[in-house]
Amino acid sequence: MFRRVLKPYQITSLEHIQRNNLTTIINNLITMDGKQMLFMHGLESGPGGSKHRWFINHFKQHNMQVVCPDMDVSMWRPDKRNSIVRQIISNLLFGWPSTLLSRAMISSLQGCLEIQVPTLQNTRTTLVVASSYGGAVATLALANGTWNGPTILLAPAYGKAAASCTDNHAPEEIYKTIKEKLTQQQRDRIFVVHGTQDDVVPFADSEKLAKMAGIELIPIQGGDHRLNHHILKSEGDTQPLLAKLVDRIMR
């Protein structure tokens, strides 16, 4: 149903996704036996968060393992090795003060990505879903070639996290690199999902990411940053949006 040529930048309506046939969705999910999905959590979240639990419960009947490595990250907690404040302290004596924040952010993102690399390189990993700061880490993985497979980015925060960067880590450069490195077929299996009322990561950031990287944006009208109510809940006899996206991306 979804085998069509996509324009480099396209906004898809929720109603279009909801036309999936439930039987087809279930049959496709059953074929995932033996595979695993990687979930990258947000800045102040971790393994066992609401989205991680939802995936575990949703896919356990299909024997698809859901893994969520702890990225040991936070904004203000210096006991977390990849926390922003810890990286600021670590970078105080290196470089110009004007670049301190950007260096700290990139150090944090790269540290988080290093934790994810073993799972990304595991041949059983067939899908990455990444939320907020985890979405920033996944964006970096797509750009540097660590990962080029099916991906769902939920309110990805790379544009906000790296806003002060002016080198090759600048958001615009990262987005262009994704488009240059990935084939059209690979980019057709990457989706950005973002709420239009997100007050943490601007919706406009995902518009720029989708346009410059040549991937598809699915706007959630009225959606907030967490998106849980909009993407994890069933409405009537319809499947949750995340279930539909997973089916679409794995076909």
Side-chain angles (χ1 to χ4, degrees):
M1 179 177 294
F2 291 104
R3 293 185 180 279
R4 68 189 194 286
V5 177
L6 300 176
K7 296 179 180 179
Y9 171 56
Q10 178 175 345
I11 294 179
T12 299
S13 68
L14 179 58
E15 289 76 16
H16 181 73
I17 296 173
Q18 289 176 337
R19 290 200 293 267
N20 280 280
N21 181 272
L22 178 58
T23 301
T24 302
I25 292 173
I26 294 174
N27 289 339
N28 278 317
L29 289 177
I30 291 173
T31 65
M32 295 178 186
D33 188 10
K35 300 178 181 179
Q36 72 179 13
M37 187 201 84
L38 169 60
F39 179 69
M40 297 188 186
H41 63 78
L43 184 64
E44 304 296 343
S45 184
S50 56
K51 293 184 181 69
H52 182 208
R53 295 196 308 271
W54 183 89
F55 278 113
I56 290 174
N57 292 331
H58 190 76
F59 291 118
K60 64 182 178 181
Q61 60 183 314
H62 304 296
N63 298 317
M64 184 176 184
Q65 185 180 10
V66 180
V67 295
C68 180
D70 189 345
M71 294 191 291
D72 207 21
V73 67
S74 174
M75 182 67 192
W76 299 110
R77 291 182 55 180
D79 59 309
K80 298 278 190 178
R81 62 172 164 150
N82 291 316
S83 73
I84 310 303
V85 68
R86 181 166 176 165
Q87 295 305 318
I88 289 175
I89 295 170
S90 299
N91 281 275
L92 277 174
L93 301 179
F94 305 96
W96 295 98
S98 60
T99 64
L100 176 60
L101 181 58
S102 63
R103 286 184 282 115
M105 295 302 302
I106 295 305
S107 295
S108 173
L109 289 168
Q110 291 178 333
C112 291
L113 181 55
E114 288 175 4
I115 291 173
Q116 302 289 1
V117 166
T119 307
L120 289 170
Q121 294 180 343
N122 188 320
T123 56
R124 293 182 62 238
T125 302
T126 55
L127 171 66
V128 170
V129 180
S131 178
S132 192
Y133 199 77
V137 177
T139 300
L140 189 60
L142 290 167
N144 68 15
T146 305
W147 175 253
N148 59 15
T151 308
I152 300 174
L153 302 171
L154 306 174
Y158 191 88
K160 183 173 183 177
S164 60
C165 296
T166 57
D167 56 7
N168 58 348
H169 287 104
E172 294 80 3
E173 295 301 317
I174 290 293
Y175 302 161
K176 287 191 293 185
T177 300
I178 291 174
K179 187 173 184 178
E180 292 168 357
K181 283 191 173 183
L182 273 59
T183 66
Q184 181 67 57
Q185 184 178 16
Q186 290 169 332
R187 287 185 281 115
D188 284 350
R189 303 182 80 184
I190 301 173
F191 299 90
V192 182
V193 181
H194 206 130
T196 58
Q197 299 301 313
D198 190 333
D199 59 358
V200 178
V201 176
F203 176 73
D205 284 6
S206 283
E207 288 186 305
K208 178 184 288 187
L209 164 60
K211 185 174 183 179
M212 296 191 70
I215 56 182
E216 190 170 347
L217 171 64
I218 299 174
I220 305 299
Q221 296 299 325
D224 58 7
H225 183 65
R226 286 171 57 81
L227 287 173
N228 288 0
H229 176 73
H230 300 270
I231 64 175
L232 303 184
K233 305 293 184 182
S234 299
E235 294 185 7
D237 59 352
T238 64
Q239 289 282 293
L241 173 60
L242 267 183
K244 293 178 174 65
L245 273 179
V246 170
D247 172 66
R248 176 178 176 183
I249 205 172
M250 297 301 293
R251 292 180 70 178

